[in-house]
Amino acid sequence: MVTSKLLPLDQRAKQLAQVYVAHRPLVQRGLTVGFVLYVLAAAYRGLAARPTTRRDKEKDSADRKDGKPARVAVDAIFYQRLGIILRIVIPNIHSKEALLLFMHSSLLIFRTAISLYVATLDGKIVASLVRGQSLQFLLNIIRWLLVAIPATWTNSWLSYVQNKLALAYRTRLTKEVLKMYLGDEADGPEGKVYYKLSNLDDRIKNADQMITHDIQRFSTHLAVIYANLAKPILDVILYNYQLSRNVGAEGLVLLTVLVQTSAALLRALTPSFGTYTAQSAALAGSLRHTHSRLSEFAEEIAFFGGEETEKRLIEREYAALVQHEQGVMNKRWWYGCAEEGIVKWLWGSFGLVVCAIPVFFKLPGISNFDLGSRTEGFVTNRRLLLSSSDAIGRVMYSYKDLAELAGYTSRVSLLLDTMSDMRKGKFEKSLVSGATEGENGEILRSRGQVLLSDDIQFENVPVVTPNGDILLRSLTFRVKPGEHLLIVGPNGSGKSSLFRILGGLWPVYGGIVRKPPASDFMLIPQRPYLSLGTLRDQVIYPHSQQDMEARGVTDADLLAVLERVQMGSIVEREGGWDVAHEWRDALSGGDKQKIAWARLFYHRPKYAILDEATSLVPPDMEGTMMEQATALGITLLTVSHRPSLWKYHSTILQLDGQGGYIFTQLDAEKRLAIQEEKQDLEMKLLEM
């Protein structure tokens, strides 16, 4: 008869238990190290770029065709954009922002250490109560009060440094954006981005909101996201390490399996908050843009009686915003229910089971199981577990914060990318029908040359509007210094477009443009621009008072300039040079034009572009200003339909509005005689 050498099942289990107990310290260390590695790997996977699926690409393509914003997610594109912006806000490790980030990290670690000590102290306080040890209880209370000093100090400093960090990010990013947005005079054709964004490109309709609101929200989220990611991950590791020493690493492994299973369910239920944030910002910007248009064109709207139409437009934009926000609120509601149910209640029940392990099971290496010891252990473990649960919850919440950061990152990145394209001459603009076909398309795809010269010369230059409307296919003319040019033609024939090319605002689509640098030109429109500032600032704009003094110009010199345009009394009338008003409201239309001419006489550029610049001043005054400009050596390029100005010009460029033009010498007397004869004939025809 063959006898089995196998031991009974209970004996084998007993032997395995003995082997396990003998090697338990080694197993505990292995499980703890494995837990730390798992937490780091899980955090990396949770924050790593999500792969873009074929379904996502198809949906993005369909959204772009429908005019909807592209999907925003925590993916590789987000991290690429964030990396570019981070190099702006934290330029190097010696920067102020890097120092603040180091201070923030140190304070986060210190606060975690305090929390660990408080958890242990909580257990000792309750244990001394249960044991009736009054002196020990009093000493623990004193320790509690003493630890409150560094704890409150740390919490206040954390809030302060985090706000400083957000402000530093915003300051650094705003400076970089404004540097690109407003540029510098030395930028030449690459500058004037603020003009090109609103006139030559359709991607951004509300740059003001993006520079003010979106950058502020991005900076705040970026400062918060670090604390919401770094500290919770550190807390999870330290709290659970301490917890594993109290209840055993086995309980920690069980808790981790249960938490990760429920966390996967919660992650699957998480909506795309990044896309919602980007859409909210875009809709809010569109509503603000609609309101700003109402203010900008208030006079025209009032004359047309367009209040109801404008009201409908504003209500439509507002309704779209409310509908979107309502949808986001609904998704946040059910997500909040699922989130709290899993994170707070389900994980809390898991934690209570783990905390009860030392009470119901005797663990190797743990003795003194009296009532006080059990109470102390349970309270300490419960405090550690609550802190760990809170940290895990914040890690879960942080993905939502990260998704919202992705939304603001996409907005800021769009602003930076678009401005970069503006500086490279790359524009995306809706074109008129047929603009890209045949000969028109060839013109739009080509580029001309801009060369520096003392005189102005166009050689076969097409004049094209930003939306692809070709006003002139080939314009050729030349203006030498001292030869005043009069430009006439119907509305939409290209008169103002010509000035925009000269000012470097519009691209040159062909031919050769020879002209002085943009700093040698000054524009005086029919409605002159008056800046915010003092009366002195209006005359010397865009110079500052320091620039004026550096040129050796005094207030007395400025007064002499104002006397030339018969505005010397305005200094006394308004209360002096340093008085500040909303000058566009304080001055009449004629006074505004006189201030603009005084500005011209102060700067004395080589060329002045006059766009109906004397329409609101008396005829004798306009003649005086023309003569003074000529005496100062300023060459005039004038758009005007007033025959009284013809005698001050030597050449004329006449546009017919059909793509044709005539450039010739101007005989003012002969032209006036023909004009008078034409008027006489028209009067006789009316009398018949």
Side-chain angles (χ1 to χ4, degrees):
M1 182 176 179
V2 180
T3 58
S4 174
K5 295 183 179 180
L6 295 176
L7 296 175
L9 185 61
D10 57 341
Q11 291 184 7
R12 280 184 289 166
K14 187 176 181 180
Q15 285 183 354
L16 288 174
Q18 290 174 349
V19 171
Y20 177 77
V21 170
H23 297 85
R24 187 170 182 269
L26 182 61
V27 174
Q28 292 279 303
R29 286 193 292 271
L31 290 175
T32 302
V33 172
F35 171 78
V36 172
L37 295 176
Y38 175 79
V39 169
L40 295 176
Y44 174 78
R45 287 196 305 271
L47 301 177
R50 302 290 195 275
T52 303
T53 63
R54 181 179 179 182
R55 181 180 177 184
D56 293 334
K57 293 180 179 178
E58 292 175 352
K59 187 175 185 303
D60 287 348
S61 178
D63 287 344
R64 280 193 292 270
K65 290 180 180 179
D66 296 338
K68 298 179 181 179
R71 183 183 66 94
V72 178
V74 182
D75 52 14
I77 296 176
F78 159 66
Y79 283 110
Q80 181 182 3
R81 292 169 173 168
L82 185 61
I84 294 173
I85 300 175
L86 283 177
R87 285 192 288 272
I88 295 175
V89 297
I90 309 178
N92 54 69
I93 60 174
H94 303 293
S95 63
K96 172 187 174 183
E97 293 78 11
L99 177 61
L100 287 171
L101 200 59
F102 176 76
M103 291 176 60
H104 199 221
S105 304
S106 302
L107 289 169
L108 289 174
I109 295 173
F110 187 56
R111 190 171 73 173
T112 300
I114 292 176
S115 299
L116 287 171
Y117 177 78
V118 169
T120 304
L121 188 59
D122 268 356
K124 292 181 179 180
I125 290 175
V126 176
S128 61
L129 272 175
V130 172
R131 292 169 179 156
Q133 297 172 338
S134 57
L135 180 60
Q136 191 64 35
F137 174 77
L138 182 60
L139 291 175
N140 287 332
I141 292 297
I142 293 174
R143 293 191 186 99
W144 177 275
L145 293 174
L146 290 175
V147 80
I149 298 174
T152 54
W153 178 88
T154 302
N155 289 332
S156 296
W157 262 104
L158 266 174
S159 177
Y160 175 80
V161 172
Q162 183 170 295
N163 291 333
K164 286 279 289 184
L165 197 57
L167 187 60
Y169 289 157
R170 183 182 183 185
T171 301
R172 184 79 69 171
L173 191 53
T174 300
K175 286 182 178 179
E176 179 66 21
V177 167
L178 290 181
K179 180 181 177 182
M180 298 176 66
Y181 188 64
L182 294 173
D184 193 284
E185 186 176 344
D187 290 341
E190 295 182 356
K192 316 292 184 185
V193 170
Y194 61 91
Y195 174 85
K196 295 173 182 177
L197 273 180
S198 58
N199 292 276
L200 306 184
D201 198 272
D202 287 337
R203 281 173 285 181
I204 295 178
K205 297 295 184 184
N206 48 349
D208 55 339
Q209 186 208 20
M210 300 180 81
I211 294 174
T212 55
H213 179 265
D214 290 349
I215 285 181
Q216 182 267 328
R217 296 297 298 161
F218 168 82
S219 302
T220 301
H221 274 68
L222 183 60
V224 170
I225 198 69
Y226 176 73
N228 289 349
L229 285 176
K231 187 176 187 304
I233 293 173
L234 178 65
D235 288 352
V236 168
I237 294 174
L238 295 181
Y239 288 142
N240 283 281
Y241 170 74
Q242 185 63 38
L243 194 63
S244 69
R245 297 183 62 186
N246 297 343
V247 302
E250 302 88 348
L252 182 62
V253 171
L254 175 63
L255 180 63
T256 301
V257 172
L258 295 174
V259 166
Q260 288 301 312
T261 302
S262 55
L265 174 63
L266 184 61
R267 192 178 297 111
L269 297 175
T270 303
S272 179
F273 288 112
T275 302
Y276 299 148
T277 300
Q279 291 176 356
S280 295
L283 289 170
S286 181
L287 177 62
R288 180 181 298 182
H289 177 64
T290 306
H291 276 286
S292 67
R293 288 185 75 258
L294 178 61
S295 300
E296 183 179 357
F297 301 105
E299 183 177 328
E300 292 86 343
I301 294 170
F303 273 114
F304 278 109
E307 293 83 3
E308 286 299 321
T309 301
E310 296 300 321
K311 182 181 178 182
R312 285 197 302 270
L313 291 173
I314 292 175
E315 288 177 343
R316 184 183 67 186
E317 296 293 339
Y318 181 73
L321 177 61
V322 169
Q323 182 181 7
H324 173 75
E325 294 295 339
Q326 187 66 46
V328 175
M329 287 170 57
N330 293 338
K331 288 182 172 60
R332 288 186 186 276
W333 179 84
W334 66 257
Y335 176 75
C337 293
E339 189 177 46
E340 182 172 349
I342 292 175
V343 173
K344 183 176 180 180
W345 299 102
L346 186 60
W347 290 2
S349 64
F350 295 160
L352 289 173
V353 172
V354 172
C355 289
I357 290 177
V359 177
F360 297 111
F361 301 94
K362 180 175 175 56
L363 299 178
I366 300 179
S367 57
N368 296 326
F369 258 70
D370 61 335
L371 183 59
S373 298
R374 290 182 177 182
T375 304
E376 178 181 350
F378 183 83
V379 170
T380 298
N381 295 338
R382 174 67 174 162
R383 181 65 179 260
L384 289 171
L385 188 70
L386 288 175
S387 298
S388 178
S389 177
D390 177 68
I392 295 174
R394 280 183 286 133
V395 172
M396 295 295 299
Y397 301 153
S398 66
Y399 184 78
K400 179 176 65 177
D401 296 335
L402 199 63
E404 292 183 356
L405 177 65
Y408 288 112
T409 301
S410 71
R411 297 275 292 172
V412 175
S413 180
L414 173 63
L415 177 63
L416 293 172
D417 292 344
T418 305
M419 289 195 299
S420 178
D421 286 347
M422 296 299 99
R423 297 175 71 85
K424 296 175 183 176
K426 298 178 181 178
F427 310 111
E428 293 183 14
K429 183 78 173 176
S430 299
L431 304 178
V432 297
S433 177
T436 59
E437 300 174 359
E439 185 180 351
N440 293 349
E442 292 180 8
I443 292 176
L444 290 178
R445 286 189 292 271
S446 62
R447 284 293 183 271
Q449 293 180 282
V450 179
L451 306 176
L452 290 179
S453 175
D454 289 335
D455 56 1
I456 297 173
Q457 186 174 357
F458 277 50
E459 296 180 14
N460 303 316
V461 177
V463 178
V464 185
T465 64
N467 62 355
D469 189 10
I470 300 176
L471 304 179
L472 294 165
R473 293 188 176 276
S474 180
L475 176 62
T476 300
F477 71 93
R478 183 177 184 181
V479 177
K480 296 180 180 179
E483 294 182 354
H484 301 323
L485 172 67
L486 179 67
I487 305 175
V488 296
N491 291 335
S493 59
K495 301 187 299 295
S496 298
S497 303
L498 182 62
F499 295 154
R500 292 178 182 124
I501 294 176
L502 285 174
L505 302 180
W506 285 9
V508 179
Y509 287 94
I512 300 175
V513 175
R514 292 183 172 87
K515 67 181 188 66
S519 58
D520 287 344
F521 288 89
M522 176 165 285
L523 169 68
I524 302 182
Q526 186 174 12
R527 298 171 61 184
Y529 173 70
L530 299 179
S531 67
L532 298 174
T534 65
L535 177 59
R536 181 189 298 104
D537 294 334
Q538 309 315 308
V539 179
I540 66 176
Y541 184 85
H543 284 177
S544 64
Q545 186 174 354
Q546 290 77 14
D547 295 330
M548 181 193 81
E549 293 171 351
R551 295 180 63 184
V553 179
T554 63
D555 288 344
D557 297 326
L558 290 186
L559 184 60
V561 170
L562 288 177
E563 293 288 355
R564 291 183 178 181
V565 295
Q566 299 179 7
M567 287 282 288
S569 61
I570 190 176
V571 180
E572 183 178 353
R573 185 186 77 194
E574 297 295 336
W577 286 108
D578 295 313
V579 66
H581 287 309
E582 182 58 77
W583 296 103
R584 64 179 181 179
D585 298 329
L587 300 177
S588 65
D591 286 347
K592 292 176 187 176
Q593 288 191 344
K594 290 179 182 179
I595 288 290
W597 277 88
R599 187 182 296 166
L600 175 68
F601 296 153
Y602 163 77
H603 285 284
R604 299 186 181 186
K606 292 182 179 179
Y607 291 88
I609 299 172
L610 311 179
D611 192 354
E612 299 289 355
T614 60
S615 59
L616 301 176
V617 298
D620 59 334
M621 186 65 216
E622 77 175 357
T624 301
M625 292 190 297
M626 288 281 184
E627 291 171 354
Q628 292 188 24
T630 303
L632 292 173
I634 302 173
T635 303
L636 305 178
L637 310 177
T638 306
V639 172
S640 179
H641 295 89
R642 300 175 74 167
S644 57
L645 295 180
W646 292 354
K647 61 183 177 182
Y648 301 107
H649 299 81
S650 57
T651 55
I652 183 171
L653 177 63
Q654 185 167 353
L655 310 177
D656 61 11
Q658 303 298 319
Y661 71 94
I662 296 174
F663 175 69
T664 184
Q665 295 294 314
L666 175 60
D667 188 337
E669 294 182 1
K670 184 178 179 181
R671 191 175 183 88
L672 282 171
I674 295 174
Q675 179 77 6
E676 291 174 359
E677 184 178 347
K678 177 183 176 184
Q679 291 176 351
D680 290 340
L681 290 173
E682 290 175 348
M683 290 297 295
K684 290 178 180 179
L685 287 172
L686 290 173
E687 293 173 357
M688 293 179 64

